[in-house]
């Protein structure tokens, strides 16, 4: 659960985050400058990697998996920053702790929603598996069952997950609280909050893309204005402009789904359905077999892609959860922040099992946000 707080107030005032974080007269030692510089340069490279490679489609499941993997690496890096700063938690400003705990519970909610959507999509594989099984029989009665399964898959894929609307609400609340609080008399604190600002921008960007892809709507894509003083700012502005424009073009084209592997399977299903429904002309027997073979390959690729992305989302869930648990432990015990890699490697409980424990308070928090948004 989140740290007890006063009655709800905005996380931070809007304005120039760097005017708040690095006021005139502030001093950073060469060591702190190097620590922040290395972090921000690594973040800039990660933004650049989000530009699709030659021949790689933007909304492929492999691109999404790579994007979440970059997100995992960056959240591990912020734990490393905390460790290397040697900034005891008892010296943290209450606002920093509030931000960390509140943001983390929202990210856990987002992971749970993404996992539920990936699970829902992967359930559609059963329809395709059954259709292929019936088509192997090569009898008219089995073809009727095959057609029913193919039609069931199309309806399943075109349906929408209502929980995705909660995801957009959470992302909006994170975007509204993007700027970080003013830091007084703490050079290490200034480095920490500036690094956290970069992590939050990357997190909002990637989660916004995934939410838009799963929902099939570009209306709520996040367009963030960031400060040019960050070393990663240009890389972010470039990738946001390209990716968001491509996303809007794809999502305005009227496709049932923008996800490439799902679209490929859908094309094969649409080609196969008329042949199965109307009966197979003996002269089209070879065409039918080719279509069955093609849909089998695409169904397998889709299932593998969904599984890989689900595993990566699960890894991100664990990273966020272990960071949150570590901070709560420190607040109770007054000890130092544990090594981030060691803590992550020790996690043995599958994240989605832990999700069942987290989901209750997390979704209560989401409902609170939704209520405030409605007001």
């Amino acid at each position: 659960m989140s740290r007890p707080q006063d009655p709800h107030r905005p996380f931070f005032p809007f304005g120039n985050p760097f005017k708040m974080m690095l006021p005139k007269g502030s001093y950073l030692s060469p060591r702190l400058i190097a620590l922040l510089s290395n972090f921000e340069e690594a973040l800039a490279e990660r933004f650049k990697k989000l530009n699709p490679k030659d021949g790689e489609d933007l909304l492929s499941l492999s691109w999404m998996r790579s994007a979440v993997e970059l997100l995992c690496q960056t959240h591990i890096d912020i734990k490393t920053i905390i460790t290397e700063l040697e900034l005891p938690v008892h010296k943290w400003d209450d606002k920093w702790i509030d931000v960390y705990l509140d943001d983390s519970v929202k990210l856990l909610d987002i992971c749970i929603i993404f996992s539920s959507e990936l699970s829902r999509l992967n359930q559609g594989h059963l329809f395709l598996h059954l259709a292929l099984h019936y088509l192997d029989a090569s009898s008219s009665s089995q073809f009727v069952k095959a057609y029913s399964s193919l039609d069931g898959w199309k309806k399943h894929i075109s349906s929408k997950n209502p929980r995705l609307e909660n995801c957009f609400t959470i992302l909006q609340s994170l975007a509204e609280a993007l700027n970080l609080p003013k830091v007084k008399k703490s050079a290490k604190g200034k480095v920490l909050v500036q690094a956290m600002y970069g992590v939050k921008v990357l997190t909002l960007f990637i989660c916004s893309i995934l939410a838009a892809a799963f929902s099939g709507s570009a209306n709520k894509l996040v367009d963030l204005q960031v400060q040019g003083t960050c070393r990663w700012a240009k890389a972010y502005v470039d990738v946001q402009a390209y990716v968001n424009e491509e996303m809007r073009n794809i999502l305005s084209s009227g496709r049932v789904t923008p996800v490439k592997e799902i679209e490929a399977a859908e094309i094969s299903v649409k080609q196969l359905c008329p042949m199965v429904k109307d009966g197979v002309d003996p002269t089209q027997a070879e065409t039918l077999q080719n279509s069955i073979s093609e849909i089998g390959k695409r169904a397998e690729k889709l299932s593998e892609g969904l599984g890989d992305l689900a595993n990566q989302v699960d890894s991100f869930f664990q990273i966020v959860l272990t960071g949150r648990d570590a901070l709560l432990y420190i607040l109770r015990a007054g000890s130092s922040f544990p090594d981030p890699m060691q803590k992550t490697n020790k996690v043995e409980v599958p994240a989605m099992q832990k999700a069942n424990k987290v989901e209750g308070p997390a979704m209560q928090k989401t409902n609170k946000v939704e209520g405030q948004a409605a007001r």
Side-chain angles (χ1 to χ4, degrees), residues 4-5 21 54 70 84 87 92 94 99 109 150 166 173 178 214-215 218 221 244 249 277 300 303 306 334 347 352 364:
Q5 302 181 35
M21 291 189 289
D54 293 339
L70 292 177
E84 293 183 358
L87 182 62
W92 284 33
D94 284 349
V99 169
D109 273 347
L150 293 172
N166 292 337
S173 70
L178 178 61
F214 291 146
S215 69
L221 276 173
N244 281 4
N249 290 337
K277 182 179 180 181
E300 189 62 29
S303 182
L306 289 170
V347 176
M352 287 305 111
Q364 289 174 16

Side-chain angles (χ1 to χ4, degrees), residues 307-322:
D308 289 343
L309 179 55
N311 288 338
Q312 201 62 60
V313 170
D314 187 75
S315 295
F316 180 53
F317 181 98
Q318 292 222 36
I319 290 167
V320 175
L321 184 62
T322 53

Side-chain angles (χ1 to χ4, degrees), residues 214-235:
F214 291 146
S215 69
S217 172
N219 294 334
K220 297 181 181 179
L221 276 173
V222 174
D223 288 292
L224 299 176
Q225 300 294 322
V226 299
Q227 295 299 311
T229 51
C230 293
R231 292 174 179 84
W232 46 263
K234 184 179 185 306

Side-chain angles (χ1 to χ4, degrees), residues 270-282:
K270 284 184 176 180
Q271 291 173 344
L272 186 58
C273 275
M275 290 188 281
V276 175
K277 182 179 180 181
D278 300 333
V280 181
D281 188 317

Side-chain angles (χ1 to χ4, degrees), residues 22-23 51 69 73 85 157 167 210 218 235 282 309 316 359:
L22 300 175
N51 271 314
E69 184 178 9
Q73 293 168 358
L85 282 173
I157 292 300
C167 187
L210 266 64
L309 179 55
F316 180 53
E359 187 171 3

Side-chain angles (χ1 to χ4, degrees), residues 2 5 43 59-60 69-71 129 138 140-141 155 161 208-209 262-263 269 322 326 340 353 360 374:
S2 293
Q5 302 181 35
L43 187 57
L59 289 180
S60 65
E69 184 178 9
L70 292 177
L71 197 54
H129 181 74
S138 299
S140 57
S141 61
K155 291 177 180 177
N161 185 347
S208 170
I209 296 295
I262 298 178
E263 183 184 28
V269 168
T322 53
Q353 290 181 16

Side-chain angles (χ1 to χ4, degrees), residues 147-210:
Y147 176 80
S148 177
S149 294
L150 293 172
D151 188 58
W153 182 85
K154 288 193 295 182
K155 291 177 180 177
H156 182 81
I157 292 300
S158 62
S159 63
K160 301 299 180 183
N161 185 347
R163 299 182 72 179
L164 287 171
E165 194 61 35
N166 292 337
C167 187
F168 288 119
T169 302
I170 298 168
L171 289 171
Q172 183 62 35
S173 70
L174 288 170
E176 290 172 354
L178 178 61
N179 295 343
L180 294 178
K182 184 176 180 180
V183 179
K184 297 179 179 179
K185 302 178 182 179
S186 175
K188 291 181 178 180
K190 292 164 188 171
V191 171
L192 174 62
V193 294
Q194 186 163 337
M196 288 173 66
Y197 176 77
V199 172
K200 199 166 182 178
V201 170
L202 178 68
T203 303
L204 274 167
F205 178 63
I206 291 176
C207 290
S208 170
I209 296 295
L210 266 64

Side-chain angles (χ1 to χ4, degrees), residues 130-144:
L130 277 174
L132 292 170
H133 172 72
Y134 293 137
L135 289 169
D136 278 344
S138 299
S139 69
S140 57
S141 61
Q142 296 296 77
F143 275 19
V144 172

